[in-house]
C-alpha cells in the first residue's frame, strides 16, 4: 500500500501541475482556427541563374522555412505554387508587414576594410544618409509617391557612395554560425551578436588587426548598405579580435535586432524574390463551427465516460477518472511544447482518447476472464493488467511507427496530426497502465468496494471468488 500511496501523490502532483500549465500557458491555434497572414512570394531569375527550376525553388523554400522558425511561428504552411511562386501562411501573425520584411530580405552580410585616405569623407556621407532617412520617414505619411521614390533613389546613391569608401569584402555571411539579439545590461541599447566558424574567426581576426589603431572603420554591410562602422582599438594591433565572435551595433530596437538575427541565421536567399501578395486572412472555420467542434468533442467524451461506467461498473468509473487525467496531461503537454492546434491536430487528440479507452477495455475484459475462471479479486486485477500489457504495447508501438512516418515524410497539417496523435498515445499508455492500475489497486484497499460483482456483473455463483483484501 505504501507504493500505491506514493504513486497516488505523484499522479495528484501531475494533475495539479497540468492544471496550472493550462491556466497559465495559452494554447496556440492554427490558421484554420484563428487566422493569420498569407504571403505569395515570386521567385525571380538572376544574372547567374537565368531560369527558376524546381531545384532553385526548393532552395528558396528551405531558406524561408528557416526564417519562419526564427519568427517563432509554429505549424506554418510553406508550399510551392506553380513553377516560380511560394505560398506562406503564418497562423497568428498580426503584423504581415514585419513578416514580409523578414521573409523577403536577402540579408547578404559582409565585412569590409575602409580604404586609406577616406577617414574625413565617411562621416560626411553618413550624415547625409541619416538626413535622407529622416526625410523618408517624414514623407511616408504624406503618401506623395513621387517624392518618396525620388528620395529613395537618393538613399541608394548615398549607399553606393559609402560603399565605394571600402575595400571588397574580406569576410562574408557564409562563415556565420549563429546570430542573436542581445542588449547591454541596464540599458535599452540592442545589438546583434555573431559567431563565426573557424575560417571566419581567422579572417575576422586578421581584418581587425589591419584596422586596429588606424582610425579607419570596419564596415559591416547588409545588402550593400552600411549598418555599422565601428573602430578597432589599438590594443588589438598585435592579434586582432580573436575568439570567433563579433557584435553589430546600429541603434537597433529590440524588434529590429531580432529581425536582423533571423535573416542572418536563415541565410541568404539564392535568388531575388518579391512579395506579390500580402494579406491578412480570417479563420477558415467560423466561430460557430469551432464551438460545434468543441461541443461535439465534449459530448463524445461524456458518452464514452458514461458507457464505461454503465458497462464496466467500478473499473469503468476508474477508467473515466484516468481519461480525465489523460486529457489534462495531454493538453498541458501541448501548451508546454508549443503545439499549434489545427483541426487535424484536434482530430488526432480525440483519436488518441479513443485509443486510451481501448487500452482500458482490454484490461477490464482480461480481468473479467480471470474472475470467471475463479481467481480472487486482487489476483484477477493483477492478471488483467499483466495479460493486456503485450497487446497494448504492440498496438501503441505500431501507431507510433505510423506517426513517425507521417511526421518525417509529411508536411504542414499532416505533421500536426502525427505529432498530436503520437503525444496522445504516449500519455495514454501512462494513464492506462499506471493511473488506472494505481487507482484500481487503491480501491481494493477499501473494504466496502472489494465486491466481485462491482467488477464483473452476472458472475456465476459457483465460480464467484471470495473477496481478497489488497495487500
Amino acid at each position: 500500500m505504501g507504493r500505491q500511496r506514493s504513486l497516488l501523490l505523484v499522479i495528484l502532483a501531475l494533475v495539479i501541475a497540468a492544471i496550472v500549465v493550462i491556466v497559465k500557458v495559452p494554447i496556440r491555434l492554427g490558421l484554420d482556427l484563428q487566422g493569420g497572414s498569407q504571403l505569395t512570394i515570386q521567385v525571380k531569375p538572376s544574372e547567374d541563374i537565368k531560369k527558376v527550376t524546381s531545384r532553385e525553388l526548393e532552395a528558396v523554400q528551405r531558406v524561408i522555412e528557416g526564417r519562419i522558425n526564427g519568427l517563432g511561428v509554429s505549424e506554418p504552411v510553406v508550399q510551392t505554387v506553380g513553377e516560380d511562386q511560394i505560398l506562406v501562411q503564418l497562423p497568428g501573425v498580426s503584423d504581415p508587414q514585419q513578416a514580409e520584411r523578414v521573409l523577403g530580405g536577402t540579408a547578404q552580410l559582409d565585412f569590409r576594410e575602409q580604404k586609406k585616405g577616406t577617414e574625413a569623407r565617411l562621416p560626411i556621407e553618413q550624415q547625409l544618409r541619416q538626413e535622407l532617412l529622416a526625410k523618408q520617414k517624414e514623407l511616408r505619411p504624406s503618401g506623395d509617391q513621387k517624392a518618396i521614390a525620388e528620395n529613395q533613389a537618393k538613399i541608394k546613391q548615398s549607399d553606393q557612395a559609402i560603399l565605394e569608401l571600402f575595400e571588397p569584402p574580406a569576410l562574408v555571411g557564409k562563415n556565420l554560425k549563429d546570430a542573436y539579439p542581445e542588449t547591454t545590461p541596464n540599458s535599452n541599447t540592442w545589438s546583434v551578436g555573431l559567431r563565426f566558424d573557424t575560417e571566419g574567426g581567422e579572417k575576422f581576426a586578421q581584418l581587425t588587426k589591419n584596422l586596429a589603431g588606424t582610425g579607419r572603420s570596419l564596415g559591416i554591410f547588409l545588402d550593400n548598405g552600411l549598418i555599422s562602422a565601428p573602430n578597432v582599438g589599438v590594443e588589438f594591433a598585435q592579434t586582432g579580435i580573436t575568439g570567433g565572435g563579433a557584435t553589430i551595433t546600429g541603434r537597433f530596437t529590440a524588434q529590429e535586432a531580432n529581425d536582423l538575427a533571423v535573416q542572418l541565421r536563415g541565410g541568404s536567399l539564392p535568388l531575388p524574390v518579391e512579395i506579390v501578395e500580402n494579406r491578412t486572412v480570417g479563420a477558415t472555420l467560423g466561430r460557430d463551427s469551432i464551438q460545434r467542434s468543441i461541443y461535439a468533442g465534449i459530448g463524445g467524451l461524456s458518452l464514452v465516460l458514461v458507457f464505461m461506467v454503465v458497462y464496466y461498473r467500478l473499473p469503468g468509473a476508474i477508467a473515466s477518472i484516468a481519461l480525465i487525467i489523460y486529457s489534462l496531461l495531454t493538453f498541458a503537454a501541448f501548451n508546454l511544447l508549443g503545439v499549434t492546434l489545427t483541426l487535424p491536430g484536434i482530430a488526432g487528440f480525440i483519436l488518441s482518447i479513443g485509443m486510451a479507452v481501448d487500452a482500458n477495455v482490454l484490461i477490464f475484459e482480461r480481468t473479467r476472464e480471470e474472475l470467471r475462471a475463479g481467481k480472487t479479486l486482487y489476483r484477477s486485477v493483477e492478471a488483467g493488467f499483466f495479460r493486456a500489457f503485450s497487446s497494448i504495447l504492440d498496438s501503441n508501438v505500431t501507431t507510433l511507427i505510423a506517426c513517425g512516418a507521417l511526421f518525417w515524410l509529411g508536411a504542414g497539417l499532416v505533421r500536426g496530426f502525427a505529432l498530436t496523435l503520437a503525444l496522445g498515445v504516449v500519455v495514454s499508455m501512462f494513464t492506462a497502465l499506471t493511473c488506472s492500475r494505481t487507482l484500481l489497486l487503491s480501491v481494493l484497499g477499501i473494504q466496502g468496494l472489494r465486491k466481485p460483482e462491482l467488477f464483473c456483473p452476472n458472475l456465476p455463483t459457483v465460480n464467484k471468488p471470495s473477496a481478497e483484501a489488497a495487500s
Side-chain angles (χ1 to χ4, degrees), residues 110-114 166 171 207 211 216-221 226-230:
D110 58 62
F111 295 78
R112 302 171 183 244
E113 178 181 341
Q114 185 182 355
F166 289 83
L171 176 62
L207 178 60
L211 292 170
R216 292 180 289 124
S217 300
L218 169 63
I220 303 175
F221 288 82
L226 184 68
I227 58 175
S228 184

Side-chain angles (χ1 to χ4, degrees), residues 17-28 331-339:
I19 294 174
V20 171
V21 169
I22 292 172
V23 172
K24 297 293 184 180
V25 181
I27 189 68
R28 294 181 178 181
F331 203 69
F334 288 169
N335 289 15
L336 284 177
L337 296 177
V339 173

